[in-house]
Amino acid sequence: MPIIGPGPDDPEYDNYDPAWRHQDTPFRRWLLDKLTAAGFDYAEDMARSCAPANRYNGLSTLDIYSIAVETGTTLDEVRAAHKADLADWAREQQLRDHPELAVLDARLDRIADPT
């Protein structure tokens, strides 16, 4: 069966990870929490579709506004959740590129909190 739309090797898919559809990310958790609190019956489905777009395509002004209205939050809260997610993603990429940093990070965490 032919592929409809761009294939996985096309430049449009650069840096796209299909696992994002199922990956638990800070933005997805934030969005699910806010949509659930707002009483959306399809909160899980919306979080599943918006969270990958947050990382892969970014959020347009219209996206930010729509999410703020639907979640009952401010534009700044949506932007902050988006930025926190991108920071988390950058850290994930650093750890993938330098797995030895994960060991160092765990050791520093133990030093900071010896309990």
Side-chain angles (χ1 to χ4, degrees):
M1 175 179 250
I3 296 175
I4 298 173
D9 295 330
D10 291 335
E12 185 174 333
Y13 280 98
D14 286 353
N15 298 320
Y16 177 71
D17 182 353
W20 287 346
R21 294 181 194 180
H22 308 288
Q23 189 177 21
D24 183 30
T25 65
F27 187 72
R28 179 183 230 159
R29 287 189 302 271
W30 178 88
L31 188 58
L32 180 60
D33 180 51
K34 298 301 180 185
L35 290 170
T36 302
F40 279 82
D41 292 334
Y42 56 91
E44 180 67 35
D45 293 334
M46 187 167 176
R48 185 179 304 122
S49 66
C50 288
N54 167 58
R55 287 186 171 187
Y56 183 54
N57 298 320
L59 294 177
S60 69
T61 302
L62 180 59
D63 293 334
I64 292 169
Y65 180 78
S66 297
I67 292 169
V69 168
E70 292 166 348
T71 59
T73 59
T74 66
L75 301 176
D76 287 338
E77 288 174 302
V78 176
R79 284 187 195 103
H82 170 62
K83 288 179 183 179
D85 191 68
L86 293 181
D88 184 72
W89 183 33
R91 185 167 184 265
E92 284 176 22
Q93 289 174 327
Q94 288 176 336
L95 290 175
R96 281 186 198 144
D97 293 344
H98 304 283
E100 69 278 4
L101 292 178
V103 174
L104 177 61
D105 186 51
R107 177 174 269 187
L108 291 173
D109 287 346
R110 283 194 301 277
I111 291 170
D113 186 18
T115 58

